[in-house]
Amino acid sequence: MSSTIVEQLAATSGQHVSKVMPAPYHVHSWRPWMSLYGLRLRTQETAQPEVVLAPIQKLLPPELTTTFLKYLPITTLAHCQCVCKQWNILGQFPPLWQSACQEAFSYMEYDKLCRILRTSHRGSWRDLYLDRPHMRFDGVYVSRNTYLRTGLVEWRVKNPVHLVCYFRYYRFFPDGQFVYRTSPDVIRNTVRSLQLSPGKVKADAQVETGVWRLNGSALQTVMIYANSMNTEIRAKLKLRSTSRGANNRLDVESIVSFDKADGISIPVISMSNSVCSSARQCTSAVCL
């Protein structure tokens, strides 16, 4: 309250009003937490465990180990990456995956492959090999197929029905060719006949040869029978993977018989609805 207001109140009331002054106060500038400024908290230093190297890691430097890994198949290289942390790091060396990509995509021009590498896979050869579909040349694709066949009517059995089972075998080569065989025998009895390249297959080996082309995940094969040069067996298949980079499944979409002279296609197997008929069952080919 100012002095003028006090004098006016005293004049009106006729009483003496003393001036009341506020009590002085002191501002403390010290705060308890200010003593923590400028202090660095130190944690108790723990001793790092000593890294014990394996004998092969002590004898071989990383440069020499990488040279050895370069000559391994890509599947064996993936197994080596599971051995230890050091080999896992060495297995990601880009030149190792570059050589694997050049072998897997040998049907593609190198300039086109590098363009796909930069635009779609951020320059990583490993991602290109694992994410882009490609054919596998280290095994055989096997498809188990069954169908029902009516048997002969005998005097004891009125309507006999037989379940016939056979296998389709595909083996692909980097030069764009493949060998094919249909047999009721299991793979251990037929794999020897599929080891030869298409140029070395004998005429009486019960093995047919053909060419293949892969566009994305769509695979097209053309096969010419040895006894009929005008008849082609054309198949459309779809390549897929059960895990990243596996490329171990071939789904049959259609198989047609094409006559080059007349230009007529006769469906042999049609899987347009992805459902097999009850009389014939065709499973996906598995790479073994």
PDB file of all heavy atoms in Angstrom, residues 189-216:
ATOM      1  N   ASN A 189      17.969 -95.135 -57.645  1.00  0.00           N
ATOM      2  CA  ASN A 189      18.163 -96.012 -58.794  1.00  0.00           C
ATOM      3  C   ASN A 189      18.236 -95.262 -60.115  1.00  0.00           C
ATOM      4  O   ASN A 189      18.583 -95.865 -61.138  1.00  0.00           O
ATOM      5  CB  ASN A 189      17.024 -97.039 -58.862  1.00  0.00           C
ATOM      6  CG  ASN A 189      16.988 -97.927 -57.628  1.00  0.00           C
ATOM      7  OD1 ASN A 189      18.019 -98.184 -56.999  1.00  0.00           O
ATOM      8  ND2 ASN A 189      15.802 -98.394 -57.271  1.00  0.00           N
ATOM      9  N   THR A 190      17.909 -93.989 -60.120  1.00  0.00           N
ATOM     10  CA  THR A 190      17.875 -93.225 -61.369  1.00  0.00           C
ATOM     11  C   THR A 190      18.838 -92.045 -61.398  1.00  0.00           C
ATOM     12  O   THR A 190      19.026 -91.441 -62.445  1.00  0.00           O
ATOM     13  CB  THR A 190      16.457 -92.687 -61.617  1.00  0.00           C
ATOM     14  OG1 THR A 190      16.055 -91.872 -60.509  1.00  0.00           O
ATOM     15  CG2 THR A 190      15.469 -93.833 -61.789  1.00  0.00           C
ATOM     16  N   VAL A 191      19.429 -91.700 -60.262  1.00  0.00           N
ATOM     17  CA  VAL A 191      20.262 -90.503 -60.227  1.00  0.00           C
ATOM     18  C   VAL A 191      21.514 -90.659 -61.081  1.00  0.00           C
ATOM     19  O   VAL A 191      22.039 -89.665 -61.614  1.00  0.00           O
ATOM     20  CB  VAL A 191      20.626 -90.171 -58.766  1.00  0.00           C
ATOM     21  CG1 VAL A 191      21.542 -91.236 -58.177  1.00  0.00           C
ATOM     22  CG2 VAL A 191      21.269 -88.802 -58.654  1.00  0.00           C
ATOM     23  N   ARG A 192      21.995 -91.870 -61.270  1.00  0.00           N
ATOM     24  CA  ARG A 192      23.197 -92.056 -62.084  1.00  0.00           C
ATOM     25  C   ARG A 192      22.948 -91.704 -63.533  1.00  0.00           C
ATOM     26  O   ARG A 192      23.832 -91.169 -64.212  1.00  0.00           O
ATOM     27  CB  ARG A 192      23.690 -93.499 -61.959  1.00  0.00           C
ATOM     28  CG  ARG A 192      24.964 -93.797 -62.728  1.00  0.00           C
ATOM     29  CD  ARG A 192      25.508 -95.173 -62.418  1.00  0.00           C
ATOM     30  NE  ARG A 192      25.892 -95.261 -61.009  1.00  0.00           N
ATOM     31  CZ  ARG A 192      26.419 -96.359 -60.450  1.00  0.00           C
ATOM     32  NH1 ARG A 192      26.609 -97.448 -61.194  1.00  0.00           N
ATOM     33  NH2 ARG A 192      26.738 -96.362 -59.176  1.00  0.00           N
ATOM     34  N   SER A 193      21.756 -91.952 -64.031  1.00  0.00           N
ATOM     35  CA  SER A 193      21.454 -91.617 -65.426  1.00  0.00           C
ATOM     36  C   SER A 193      21.259 -90.121 -65.642  1.00  0.00           C
ATOM     37  O   SER A 193      21.244 -89.661 -66.782  1.00  0.00           O
ATOM     38  CB  SER A 193      20.191 -92.354 -65.874  1.00  0.00           C
ATOM     39  OG  SER A 193      19.074 -91.948 -65.089  1.00  0.00           O
ATOM     40  N   LEU A 194      21.122 -89.341 -64.552  1.00  0.00           N
ATOM     41  CA  LEU A 194      20.929 -87.901 -64.665  1.00  0.00           C
ATOM     42  C   LEU A 194      22.203 -87.109 -64.430  1.00  0.00           C
ATOM     43  O   LEU A 194      22.169 -85.880 -64.438  1.00  0.00           O
ATOM     44  CB  LEU A 194      19.871 -87.432 -63.658  1.00  0.00           C
ATOM     45  CG  LEU A 194      18.494 -88.074 -63.786  1.00  0.00           C
ATOM     46  CD1 LEU A 194      17.619 -87.675 -62.613  1.00  0.00           C
ATOM     47  CD2 LEU A 194      17.833 -87.680 -65.092  1.00  0.00           C
ATOM     48  N   GLN A 195      23.327 -87.790 -64.226  1.00  0.00           N
ATOM     49  CA  GLN A 195      24.568 -87.093 -63.949  1.00  0.00           C
ATOM     50  C   GLN A 195      25.245 -86.562 -65.197  1.00  0.00           C
ATOM     51  O   GLN A 195      26.064 -85.650 -65.108  1.00  0.00           O
ATOM     52  CB  GLN A 195      25.527 -88.022 -63.190  1.00  0.00           C
ATOM     53  CG  GLN A 195      25.050 -88.381 -61.784  1.00  0.00           C
ATOM     54  CD  GLN A 195      26.004 -89.307 -61.072  1.00  0.00           C
ATOM     55  OE1 GLN A 195      26.950 -89.821 -61.666  1.00  0.00           O
ATOM     56  NE2 GLN A 195      25.762 -89.536 -59.784  1.00  0.00           N
ATOM     57  N   LEU A 196      24.934 -87.120 -66.355  1.00  0.00           N
ATOM     58  CA  LEU A 196      25.573 -86.676 -67.586  1.00  0.00           C
ATOM     59  C   LEU A 196      24.920 -85.405 -68.096  1.00  0.00           C
ATOM     60  O   LEU A 196      23.727 -85.168 -67.896  1.00  0.00           O
ATOM     61  CB  LEU A 196      25.484 -87.772 -68.655  1.00  0.00           C
ATOM     62  CG  LEU A 196      26.194 -89.098 -68.326  1.00  0.00           C
ATOM     63  CD1 LEU A 196      25.956 -90.102 -69.439  1.00  0.00           C
ATOM     64  CD2 LEU A 196      27.684 -88.874 -68.106  1.00  0.00           C
ATOM     65  N   SER A 197      25.706 -84.579 -68.768  1.00  0.00           N
ATOM     66  CA  SER A 197      25.184 -83.364 -69.389  1.00  0.00           C
ATOM     67  C   SER A 197      24.354 -83.737 -70.605  1.00  0.00           C
ATOM     68  O   SER A 197      24.474 -84.854 -71.139  1.00  0.00           O
ATOM     69  CB  SER A 197      26.339 -82.445 -69.788  1.00  0.00           C
ATOM     70  OG  SER A 197      27.207 -83.102 -70.702  1.00  0.00           O
ATOM     71  N   PRO A 198      23.488 -82.841 -71.090  1.00  0.00           N
ATOM     72  CA  PRO A 198      22.624 -83.183 -72.239  1.00  0.00           C
ATOM     73  C   PRO A 198      23.392 -83.616 -73.470  1.00  0.00           C
ATOM     74  O   PRO A 198      22.909 -84.447 -74.248  1.00  0.00           O
ATOM     75  CB  PRO A 198      21.852 -81.884 -72.487  1.00  0.00           C
ATOM     76  CG  PRO A 198      21.819 -81.207 -71.157  1.00  0.00           C
ATOM     77  CD  PRO A 198      23.129 -81.537 -70.515  1.00  0.00           C
ATOM     78  N   GLY A 199      24.593 -83.098 -73.692  1.00  0.00           N
ATOM     79  CA  GLY A 199      25.348 -83.493 -74.874  1.00  0.00           C
ATOM     80  C   GLY A 199      25.932 -84.881 -74.793  1.00  0.00           C
ATOM     81  O   GLY A 199      26.322 -85.449 -75.817  1.00  0.00           O
ATOM     82  N   LYS A 200      25.994 -85.480 -73.600  1.00  0.00           N
ATOM     83  CA  LYS A 200      26.583 -86.804 -73.429  1.00  0.00           C
ATOM     84  C   LYS A 200      25.551 -87.881 -73.129  1.00  0.00           C
ATOM     85  O   LYS A 200      25.921 -89.024 -72.851  1.00  0.00           O
ATOM     86  CB  LYS A 200      27.608 -86.769 -72.282  1.00  0.00           C
ATOM     87  CG  LYS A 200      28.767 -85.811 -72.539  1.00  0.00           C
ATOM     88  CD  LYS A 200      29.745 -85.827 -71.375  1.00  0.00           C
ATOM     89  CE  LYS A 200      30.901 -84.869 -71.624  1.00  0.00           C
ATOM     90  NZ  LYS A 200      31.867 -84.864 -70.494  1.00  0.00           N
ATOM     91  N   VAL A 201      24.270 -87.526 -73.168  1.00  0.00           N
ATOM     92  CA  VAL A 201      23.218 -88.502 -72.884  1.00  0.00           C
ATOM     93  C   VAL A 201      23.083 -89.449 -74.065  1.00  0.00           C
ATOM     94  O   VAL A 201      23.011 -89.028 -75.221  1.00  0.00           O
ATOM     95  CB  VAL A 201      21.882 -87.792 -72.602  1.00  0.00           C
ATOM     96  CG1 VAL A 201      20.753 -88.805 -72.464  1.00  0.00           C
ATOM     97  CG2 VAL A 201      22.001 -86.972 -71.327  1.00  0.00           C
ATOM     98  N   LYS A 202      23.046 -90.735 -73.774  1.00  0.00           N
ATOM     99  CA  LYS A 202      22.891 -91.743 -74.817  1.00  0.00           C
ATOM    100  C   LYS A 202      21.432 -91.854 -75.250  1.00  0.00           C
ATOM    101  O   LYS A 202      20.523 -91.493 -74.510  1.00  0.00           O
ATOM    102  CB  LYS A 202      23.392 -93.104 -74.320  1.00  0.00           C
ATOM    103  CG  LYS A 202      24.867 -93.106 -73.946  1.00  0.00           C
ATOM    104  CD  LYS A 202      25.296 -94.484 -73.475  1.00  0.00           C
ATOM    105  CE  LYS A 202      26.770 -94.481 -73.084  1.00  0.00           C
ATOM    106  NZ  LYS A 202      27.231 -95.818 -72.615  1.00  0.00           N
ATOM    107  N   ALA A 203      21.240 -92.351 -76.463  1.00  0.00           N
ATOM    108  CA  ALA A 203      19.882 -92.438 -77.004  1.00  0.00           C
ATOM    109  C   ALA A 203      19.027 -93.458 -76.272  1.00  0.00           C
ATOM    110  O   ALA A 203      17.814 -93.318 -76.202  1.00  0.00           O
ATOM    111  CB  ALA A 203      19.940 -92.769 -78.496  1.00  0.00           C
ATOM    112  N   ASP A 204      19.641 -94.501 -75.729  1.00  0.00           N
ATOM    113  CA  ASP A 204      18.883 -95.559 -75.068  1.00  0.00           C
ATOM    114  C   ASP A 204      18.911 -95.421 -73.546  1.00  0.00           C
ATOM    115  O   ASP A 204      18.662 -96.385 -72.824  1.00  0.00           O
ATOM    116  CB  ASP A 204      19.453 -96.929 -75.447  1.00  0.00           C
ATOM    117  CG  ASP A 204      20.942 -97.034 -75.135  1.00  0.00           C
ATOM    118  OD1 ASP A 204      21.555 -95.981 -74.878  1.00  0.00           O
ATOM    119  OD2 ASP A 204      21.491 -98.160 -75.157  1.00  0.00           O
ATOM    120  N   ALA A 205      19.194 -94.246 -73.048  1.00  0.00           N
ATOM    121  CA  ALA A 205      19.310 -94.055 -71.598  1.00  0.00           C
ATOM    122  C   ALA A 205      17.979 -93.708 -70.948  1.00  0.00           C
ATOM    123  O   ALA A 205      17.950 -93.467 -69.741  1.00  0.00           O
ATOM    124  CB  ALA A 205      20.324 -92.949 -71.306  1.00  0.00           C
ATOM    125  N   GLN A 206      16.876 -93.663 -71.712  1.00  0.00           N
ATOM    126  CA  GLN A 206      15.555 -93.307 -71.198  1.00  0.00           C
ATOM    127  C   GLN A 206      15.540 -91.917 -70.558  1.00  0.00           C
ATOM    128  O   GLN A 206      14.775 -91.653 -69.633  1.00  0.00           O
ATOM    129  CB  GLN A 206      15.068 -94.353 -70.190  1.00  0.00           C
ATOM    130  CG  GLN A 206      14.922 -95.755 -70.765  1.00  0.00           C
ATOM    131  CD  GLN A 206      14.449 -96.753 -69.737  1.00  0.00           C
ATOM    132  OE1 GLN A 206      14.370 -96.444 -68.551  1.00  0.00           O
ATOM    133  NE2 GLN A 206      14.131 -97.959 -70.175  1.00  0.00           N
ATOM    134  N   VAL A 207      16.386 -91.041 -71.053  1.00  0.00           N
ATOM    135  CA  VAL A 207      16.495 -89.674 -70.543  1.00  0.00           C
ATOM    136  C   VAL A 207      16.287 -88.719 -71.709  1.00  0.00           C
ATOM    137  O   VAL A 207      16.899 -88.872 -72.771  1.00  0.00           O
ATOM    138  CB  VAL A 207      17.865 -89.421 -69.888  1.00  0.00           C
ATOM    139  CG1 VAL A 207      17.985 -87.966 -69.445  1.00  0.00           C
ATOM    140  CG2 VAL A 207      18.046 -90.348 -68.699  1.00  0.00           C
ATOM    141  N   GLU A 208      15.398 -87.761 -71.535  1.00  0.00           N
ATOM    142  CA  GLU A 208      15.134 -86.762 -72.562  1.00  0.00           C
ATOM    143  C   GLU A 208      15.866 -85.468 -72.206  1.00  0.00           C
ATOM    144  O   GLU A 208      16.165 -85.195 -71.042  1.00  0.00           O
ATOM    145  CB  GLU A 208      13.619 -86.486 -72.672  1.00  0.00           C
ATOM    146  CG  GLU A 208      12.778 -87.733 -72.882  1.00  0.00           C
ATOM    147  CD  GLU A 208      13.060 -88.430 -74.193  1.00  0.00           C
ATOM    148  OE1 GLU A 208      13.573 -87.770 -75.116  1.00  0.00           O
ATOM    149  OE2 GLU A 208      12.763 -89.625 -74.292  1.00  0.00           O
ATOM    150  N   THR A 209      16.149 -84.677 -73.213  1.00  0.00           N
ATOM    151  CA  THR A 209      16.854 -83.405 -73.030  1.00  0.00           C
ATOM    152  C   THR A 209      15.991 -82.270 -73.551  1.00  0.00           C
ATOM    153  O   THR A 209      15.079 -82.475 -74.363  1.00  0.00           O
ATOM    154  CB  THR A 209      18.205 -83.418 -73.760  1.00  0.00           C
ATOM    155  OG1 THR A 209      17.987 -83.598 -75.169  1.00  0.00           O
ATOM    156  CG2 THR A 209      19.088 -84.541 -73.238  1.00  0.00           C
ATOM    157  N   GLY A 210      16.280 -81.071 -73.084  1.00  0.00           N
ATOM    158  CA  GLY A 210      15.530 -79.906 -73.519  1.00  0.00           C
ATOM    159  C   GLY A 210      16.212 -78.627 -73.071  1.00  0.00           C
ATOM    160  O   GLY A 210      17.331 -78.635 -72.538  1.00  0.00           O
ATOM    161  N   VAL A 211      15.540 -77.522 -73.280  1.00  0.00           N
ATOM    162  CA  VAL A 211      16.050 -76.201 -72.904  1.00  0.00           C
ATOM    163  C   VAL A 211      15.068 -75.561 -71.935  1.00  0.00           C
ATOM    164  O   VAL A 211      13.872 -75.879 -71.937  1.00  0.00           O
ATOM    165  CB  VAL A 211      16.260 -75.306 -74.142  1.00  0.00           C
ATOM    166  CG1 VAL A 211      17.350 -75.876 -75.033  1.00  0.00           C
ATOM    167  CG2 VAL A 211      14.964 -75.155 -74.927  1.00  0.00           C
ATOM    168  N   TRP A 212      15.561 -74.640 -71.124  1.00  0.00           N
ATOM    169  CA  TRP A 212      14.733 -73.965 -70.143  1.00  0.00           C
ATOM    170  C   TRP A 212      15.035 -72.470 -70.153  1.00  0.00           C
ATOM    171  O   TRP A 212      16.116 -72.035 -70.553  1.00  0.00           O
ATOM    172  CB  TRP A 212      14.965 -74.530 -68.737  1.00  0.00           C
ATOM    173  CG  TRP A 212      16.380 -74.374 -68.235  1.00  0.00           C
ATOM    174  CD1 TRP A 212      17.421 -75.228 -68.426  1.00  0.00           C
ATOM    175  CD2 TRP A 212      16.895 -73.283 -67.460  1.00  0.00           C
ATOM    176  NE1 TRP A 212      18.556 -74.765 -67.822  1.00  0.00           N
ATOM    177  CE2 TRP A 212      18.264 -73.566 -67.223  1.00  0.00           C
ATOM    178  CE3 TRP A 212      16.356 -72.120 -66.939  1.00  0.00           C
ATOM    179  CZ2 TRP A 212      19.090 -72.716 -66.490  1.00  0.00           C
ATOM    180  CZ3 TRP A 212      17.173 -71.263 -66.214  1.00  0.00           C
ATOM    181  CH2 TRP A 212      18.517 -71.562 -65.996  1.00  0.00           C
ATOM    182  N   ARG A 213      14.063 -71.702 -69.678  1.00  0.00           N
ATOM    183  CA  ARG A 213      14.202 -70.247 -69.570  1.00  0.00           C
ATOM    184  C   ARG A 213      13.437 -69.794 -68.341  1.00  0.00           C
ATOM    185  O   ARG A 213      12.291 -70.172 -68.120  1.00  0.00           O
ATOM    186  CB  ARG A 213      13.664 -69.557 -70.825  1.00  0.00           C
ATOM    187  CG  ARG A 213      13.848 -68.035 -70.809  1.00  0.00           C
ATOM    188  CD  ARG A 213      13.315 -67.406 -72.073  1.00  0.00           C
ATOM    189  NE  ARG A 213      11.888 -67.613 -72.214  1.00  0.00           N
ATOM    190  CZ  ARG A 213      11.157 -67.178 -73.246  1.00  0.00           C
ATOM    191  NH1 ARG A 213      11.763 -66.544 -74.247  1.00  0.00           N
ATOM    192  NH2 ARG A 213       9.862 -67.395 -73.286  1.00  0.00           N
ATOM    193  N   LEU A 214      14.087 -68.940 -67.551  1.00  0.00           N
ATOM    194  CA  LEU A 214      13.507 -68.451 -66.299  1.00  0.00           C
ATOM    195  C   LEU A 214      13.287 -66.957 -66.404  1.00  0.00           C
ATOM    196  O   LEU A 214      14.203 -66.201 -66.720  1.00  0.00           O
ATOM    197  CB  LEU A 214      14.429 -68.770 -65.118  1.00  0.00           C
ATOM    198  CG  LEU A 214      13.932 -68.363 -63.726  1.00  0.00           C
ATOM    199  CD1 LEU A 214      12.695 -69.164 -63.352  1.00  0.00           C
ATOM    200  CD2 LEU A 214      15.025 -68.566 -62.680  1.00  0.00           C
ATOM    201  N   ASN A 215      12.058 -66.527 -66.122  1.00  0.00           N
ATOM    202  CA  ASN A 215      11.695 -65.117 -66.118  1.00  0.00           C
ATOM    203  C   ASN A 215      11.055 -64.803 -64.763  1.00  0.00           C
ATOM    204  O   ASN A 215       9.879 -65.090 -64.540  1.00  0.00           O
ATOM    205  CB  ASN A 215      10.745 -64.789 -67.261  1.00  0.00           C
ATOM    206  CG  ASN A 215      10.430 -63.310 -67.359  1.00  0.00           C
ATOM    207  OD1 ASN A 215      11.092 -62.488 -66.723  1.00  0.00           O
ATOM    208  ND2 ASN A 215       9.424 -62.969 -68.144  1.00  0.00           N
ATOM    209  N   GLY A 216      11.848 -64.233 -63.868  1.00  0.00           N
ATOM    210  CA  GLY A 216      11.355 -64.058 -62.510  1.00  0.00           C
ATOM    211  C   GLY A 216      11.237 -65.409 -61.823  1.00  0.00           C
ATOM    212  O   GLY A 216      12.220 -66.131 -61.665  1.00  0.00           O
TER     213      GLY A 216
END
